[in-house]
Amino acid sequence: MTQALILAGGEGTRLRPLTLTMPKPAIQLVDRPFLRYMIDWVGHHGVDEVVIASGFGADALRDALGDGGGAGPRLAYVQETEPLGTGGPLRLAADQGLLEERFLVLNGDLLADIDLGALMRSHEESRAVATLALYAVDDPSAYGLVRRAGGPDGLDGAPRAATGEVAGFVEKPDPGDIDTNEISAGAYLMERRVIEMIPAGRMVSIEREVFPRLVGHGLYGHVLEGYWMDIGTPERYLQASWDILEGRVRTDAGARLDGAGLLVEDGAEVDPAATVRPPALVEADVTVGAEASIGSRAIIARGSHLGEGAVVASSVVLAGSRVGSKAAITDSIVAPGVQIGEGARIGPGAVIGEGARVDARAELGEGARLAPGELVS
């Protein structure tokens, strides 16, 4: 297995206002663009070429990720001129001659460390046309269920086999219909001939229009264990950040931290009277004033400034932002280039768009959203 295609064409509406100025796959998660985690993940499983299907913000995404190579997979891009769903990009990439005879497909919202090598071996052994990575969840009511041979008997049952032929799907099940806890993990391995079932030039849902037609014709599922999260909301973005810092998911970013989950990069200037409580990341070119408090659970990205007595707790402050003296940010996300005035109060649960400004002593309350460039006084 040498090739993967990542579906990264969505607009990231659930992460607005962050995604109004930056495509979701390019948004910084801990210390790197989010999609880089997926590229690293597949690279560790022997994938040496990744095709990225993008739409909104395609140029910004390419600028953030480059062309790969070196120690990681090579990167190629296919751009959707209009949304093509989860199936259309596969057909577009195939028509442009970018796909091999067998390839891995990943939804671009995932942060995971599940064993893709086991998925590849299962696919080979069962001689499947397509094999879905399955994941067991405690509450499957918000997901589509995948029923398969060898699956668990009920919510609390253990799978009778790791791999089995898919018998059917249940979308948004009623409580009485929930007879398995296995859902699609948004990753699958397929043979190129499946592309023939995808019409060209229109939006196609592979989950609704293609996979059901493959039931009984070589569609298998393989359940995998490990870490798995869809990070499409601000709450999950923050949780994914803390899971990386705290080592709940295996990542190259997490490997940079010390045993407590702390890294203050060379080039950061932290006043001796400031406090940094792990887990936390303070990037290079950050300046932190006296009596400021960072953490626990905090990320201060490159080029940002925290004034004297500023507090950042359970929050992410992205590149080039300025937090005034005695300002406080709690359980919130601050996009690049934001200015927060002296004594301002942010959060909990606030998300501030790029280049916005919060004046001195202003308050941005629970769950607030501030658009890019907007002013609160």
Side-chain angles (χ1 to χ4, degrees):
M1 180 65 219
T2 60
Q3 189 181 54
L5 185 146
I6 299 177
L7 302 173
E11 295 186 12
T13 54
R14 295 179 296 165
L15 270 174
R16 288 178 178 171
L18 299 178
T19 51
L20 291 174
T21 54
M22 178 68 69
K24 179 174 61 177
I27 290 173
Q28 181 172 336
L29 179 66
V30 183
D31 69 342
R32 63 197 64 197
F34 166 59
L35 206 67
R36 176 59 62 185
Y37 290 89
M38 301 191 74
I39 296 166
D40 294 342
W41 174 37
V42 299
H44 290 316
H45 289 283
V47 171
D48 57 21
E49 182 181 44
V50 173
V51 178
I52 299 172
S54 61
F56 168 75
D59 291 340
L61 182 58
R62 185 188 289 266
D63 289 343
L65 296 174
D67 295 323
R74 300 183 306 276
L75 304 182
Y77 296 84
V78 57
Q79 184 171 349
E80 305 170 42
T81 56
E82 58 185 28
L84 294 175
T86 54
L90 279 68
R91 179 59 187 262
L92 180 62
D95 288 347
Q96 293 184 12
L98 295 176
L99 294 183
E100 298 175 353
E101 290 303 311
R102 177 182 294 169
F103 52 91
L104 186 69
V105 182
L106 302 153
N107 290 346
D109 294 333
L110 300 181
L111 178 67
D113 63 9
I114 57 178
D115 185 0
L116 296 175
L119 180 71
M120 299 172 192
R121 291 189 294 274
S122 169
H123 182 85
E124 185 76 32
E125 291 166 2
S126 62
R127 298 185 178 181
V129 172
T131 303
L132 311 181
L134 305 179
Y135 192 77
V137 296
D138 293 333
D139 180 11
S141 60
Y143 302 91
L145 305 180
V146 181
R147 292 171 173 159
R148 66 174 179 92
D153 291 322
L155 282 176
D156 300 324
R160 290 163 288 164
T163 303
E165 192 167 8
V166 172
F169 302 89
V170 182
E171 291 291 334
K172 296 182 179 179
D174 294 327
D177 293 329
I178 298 176
D179 54 4
T180 179
N181 61 359
E182 292 181 353
I183 65 168
S184 172
Y188 39 93
L189 195 61
M190 66 167 48
E191 303 297 313
R192 183 188 168 93
R193 60 182 180 272
V194 175
I195 300 293
E196 299 170 4
M197 303 175 67
I198 301 175
R202 71 167 177 87
M203 182 178 288
V204 178
S205 168
I206 198 165
E207 298 87 356
R208 294 180 176 87
E209 299 181 56
V210 178
F211 288 155
R213 294 168 59 194
L214 286 175
V215 171
H217 300 283
L219 180 63
Y220 282 75
H222 183 84
V223 66
L224 295 167
E225 296 180 346
Y227 181 97
W228 178 87
M229 180 184 286
D230 171 344
I231 70 155
T233 67
E235 296 79 13
R236 290 182 178 177
Y237 170 90
L238 286 174
Q239 187 59 57
S241 299
W242 315 146
D243 288 346
I244 291 168
L245 293 184
E246 294 166 1
R248 292 189 179 90
V249 53
R250 296 189 302 274
T251 65
D252 291 354
R256 301 179 61 218
L257 310 173
D258 69 14
L262 177 64
L263 174 61
V264 178
E265 291 186 347
D266 292 342
E269 298 181 8
V270 180
D271 190 279
T275 303
V276 182
R277 298 180 180 88
L281 168 66
V282 180
E283 290 197 314
D285 301 322
V286 167
T287 56
V288 181
E291 307 298 331
S293 175
I294 297 173
S296 65
R297 291 184 164 182
I299 294 163
I300 313 298
R302 184 178 298 272
S304 293
H305 169 77
L306 272 60
E308 294 184 5
V311 176
V312 177
S314 298
S315 297
V316 173
V317 176
L318 292 175
S321 291
R322 299 186 66 84
V323 181
S325 61
K326 300 188 186 312
I329 305 172
T330 306
D331 292 307
S332 296
I333 306 170
V334 176
V338 169
Q339 297 185 47
I340 297 173
E342 177 180 349
R345 295 290 181 267
I346 309 298
V351 184
I352 302 179
E354 185 170 353
R357 195 174 85 205
V358 179
D359 277 352
R361 289 170 291 283
E363 295 189 7
L364 200 61
E366 183 173 357
R369 301 290 186 267
L370 194 60
E374 190 174 352
L375 168 66
V376 169
S377 57

